[in-house]
Amino acid sequence: MFKNLQNLLRQNIREYGMYIALFVIMVIFTFTTNGIFISSRNLSNLLNQTGYIAVLAVGMTLVIVIRHVDLSVGFLAGFIGAIAAIALEKWGWSVYAVIPFVLGLGVIAGLITALPVARLGIPSFVASLAGWLIYRGLLLLVTESTGTISVTDSVFVAIGNGYIPDIPEIGILNGVHKVTLLLGVIGVIFYVMSEISDRRKKQNYNFDVLPMNMFAIKLLFVAAIVGGVTWVLAGYNGISWTVVVVLVVVAIYHFITTRTVLGRHIYAVGGNPEAAELSGISVKRITYIVFGSMGLLSSLSGILFTSRLQSATTTAGTLFELDAIAAAYVGGVSAAGGVGKVIGSIIGALVMLSLTSGMNLMGVGIAYQYIVRGAVLVAAVIFDVATRRGAR
C-alpha cells in the first residue's frame, strides 16, 4: 500500500503538493505555538483574513491561465470599497443597491483593462500597471477629505464580521455551533458522492482511476480534514459570512472551469492561443470575459475588506495584487499558461496567510516574514518549472 501511495504522490505531485505543504505548515505552527494556531478563534480569524485575498486569487488564476496578469486589482478593490462606503454613508443608498452597483463597476473596470490587451495587443502588464496607478489616484481622491470613511450599516458590516446563525440550544452539544457541524457533514457527504460519481464516469470511459484502497484513503483523509476544521470552527462562532461568500465563489468558478464549454475554452486559449483561434475560439472574447470576471471579483474583495475593517482608507488594497498572484502560483497555476485550478488558488491563499498568521503568533519580525513568503513563492515557481520539465 505504501508503494502505491508513493507512486500516487509522484504521479500527481503538482495536484497534491500544495495540500501537503498546507498540512505541513499547519502542523509545524500548531506545535511551535503550543496549539494556539489551531485554536477555534485563530482558525476563524485566519479564514476571515483569507477571504478578500482568496476571491482575488480565484480571478487571478484564470487571468494567468490565459497567459496574462492584472496588477490593477489591489487598488481597484480599495477604490471600489471606498465607493461602497461613500454610497452607504454619504449618498444614503441601501446596501442592497450598493452591492450590485459596485459589482457592476468592477466588471466595467475589468473590461476597460481588457480593451487595450484584446484590441491593441498591449501587454497586460503595462495595461494593468496603468490601472494600478489610476485606481491608486482615484482612491486618494475619494478619501482625501476625510482620510477614512467609517461604515455603520449593520448588514454591510456583517458581511465581513458576522457569522451564520445557529439553532437554539436543544440540550445536546451546548456551546457548539450546531449549524456549522451540520454543514460540515453535508459538505463531506457531497464530496464523497461527487468523487464516487466521477470515479464511475471515468471507469465507464476506461480512464485511469486510483486503486480502490488509495481512493478510500483519499476520501477518508479529506473527510477527516473537513470534519476537523468544521469541529474547530463550531467551537467558536461557527462559519462566518465571509467563508460562505468564498465557498460560493469557489463553487461557481469550479463548476464553470470544469463543467462548461466556457471553461474548456479558457484553458484552450491558455494552452495555445493560436491553435484556439484556428479552432474557432475567440481569444478576444475570452480575454474580455476573464478580465471582466477579475474586475467583478476585485469589487467583491473590496466589499469584504471594507466590511471587515468597517471603513475605507487611503491605503486599502495595498499589495493585494501581489498576494493574489502569489496565492495563484503557490496554488499550482503555471506561468506558461493553460494550467491551474480554482481550488488550488484557495489552498495557495491559505498557505500564504497561514505563514503570516503563524509567524505573527511566534513573534517573527515583519522583515523576516516577507523574506519567508518570498522564498515560498520562488519555491512554488521552481516547482512548477521542474514538474513541467519532468512531464516532458
Side-chain angles (χ1 to χ4, degrees):
M1 185 176 71
F2 289 106
K3 186 175 182 180
N4 289 338
L5 181 61
Q6 198 173 33
N7 292 334
L8 174 66
L9 291 176
R10 187 182 300 114
Q11 294 168 7
N12 299 275
I13 188 64
R14 173 185 282 276
E15 182 176 352
Y16 296 147
M18 52 192 163
Y19 295 98
I20 296 172
L22 177 60
F23 181 74
V24 170
I25 288 170
M26 297 188 75
V27 169
I28 291 173
F29 283 134
T30 297
F31 282 103
T32 55
T33 62
N34 297 319
I36 297 176
F37 179 83
I38 203 65
S39 66
S40 298
R41 181 184 294 271
N42 188 69
L43 189 59
S44 179
N45 289 333
L46 172 63
L47 293 177
N48 288 340
Q49 291 168 2
T50 304
Y52 56 88
I53 296 299
V55 295
L56 281 180
V58 169
M60 191 63 71
T61 294
L62 298 187
V63 172
I64 297 175
V65 162
I66 64 168
R67 305 187 179 191
H68 291 296
V69 70
D70 192 344
L71 300 179
S72 68
V73 298
F75 284 125
L76 174 58
F79 171 63
I80 292 293
I83 293 297
I86 292 171
L88 287 167
E89 300 302 319
K90 296 185 178 180
W91 300 346
W93 287 20
S94 164
V95 65
Y96 303 106
V98 169
I99 290 177
F101 172 70
V102 296
L103 290 177
L105 286 180
V107 173
I108 293 172
L111 294 176
I112 291 174
T113 303
L115 182 62
V117 177
R119 286 282 182 182
L120 305 177
I122 293 175
S124 57
F125 178 89
V126 177
S128 60
L129 180 58
W132 186 96
L133 295 168
I134 291 170
Y135 297 129
R136 174 60 171 151
L138 290 174
L139 175 61
L140 292 174
L141 278 176
V142 298
T143 59
E144 66 179 353
S145 60
T146 59
T148 298
I149 305 170
S150 298
V151 179
T152 58
D153 186 282
S154 59
V155 176
F156 187 86
V157 169
I159 297 173
N161 297 278
Y163 295 82
I164 61 175
D166 196 13
I167 58 178
E169 299 294 347
I170 55 177
I172 58 174
L173 296 175
N174 292 335
V176 176
H177 201 279
K178 291 169 280 298
V179 172
T180 295
L181 290 181
L182 179 61
L183 291 175
V185 171
I186 293 173
V188 169
I189 293 174
F190 178 80
Y191 169 76
V192 171
M193 293 178 63
S194 176
E195 287 293 310
I196 292 174
S197 175
D198 286 345
R199 177 182 172 85
R200 287 175 178 170
K201 289 179 181 177
K202 289 180 180 179
Q203 287 176 326
N204 290 337
Y205 289 99
N206 296 320
F207 290 163
D208 291 335
V209 295
L210 294 176
M212 181 53 72
N213 58 345
M214 291 293 99
F215 180 69
I217 290 175
K218 175 185 175 182
L219 293 184
L220 288 173
F221 180 76
V222 174
I225 294 296
V226 174
V229 171
T230 302
W231 178 259
V232 172
L233 291 177
Y236 184 50
N237 288 325
I239 296 176
S240 68
W241 287 115
T242 295
V243 173
V244 172
V245 170
V246 173
L247 291 177
V248 170
V249 168
V250 171
I252 292 173
Y253 276 80
H254 177 69
F255 176 81
I256 291 173
T257 54
T258 60
R259 306 281 178 150
T260 67
V261 173
L262 174 60
R264 291 193 289 272
H265 286 182
I266 289 172
Y267 284 97
V269 169
N272 191 324
E274 293 78 14
E277 191 74 55
L278 291 173
S279 65
I281 299 173
S282 174
V283 175
K284 290 182 179 179
R285 174 175 167 270
I286 295 298
T287 302
Y288 280 121
I289 290 174
V290 170
F291 275 89
S293 165
M294 185 74 258
L296 175 70
L297 293 178
S298 298
S299 295
L300 184 57
S301 174
I303 291 171
L304 291 174
F305 186 73
T306 303
S307 173
R308 181 162 177 78
L309 266 62
Q310 303 181 39
S311 62
T313 67
T314 56
T315 58
T318 303
L319 297 182
F320 282 15
E321 68 282 348
L322 300 186
D323 286 335
I325 293 170
Y329 277 118
V330 171
V333 72
S334 173
V339 176
K341 292 185 177 181
V342 167
I343 294 178
S345 64
I346 301 299
I347 302 301
L350 283 172
V351 167
M352 299 305 287
L353 269 296
S354 293
L355 286 171
T356 300
S357 176
M359 288 188 288
N360 281 334
L361 291 174
M362 291 177 62
V364 177
I366 189 66
Y368 293 105
Q369 290 188 31
Y370 278 116
I371 293 171
V372 170
R373 291 166 65 191
V376 169
L377 177 57
V378 170
V381 176
I382 293 174
F383 178 77
D384 166 53
V385 174
T387 52
R388 279 193 288 114
R389 286 179 178 173
R392 292 172 186 171

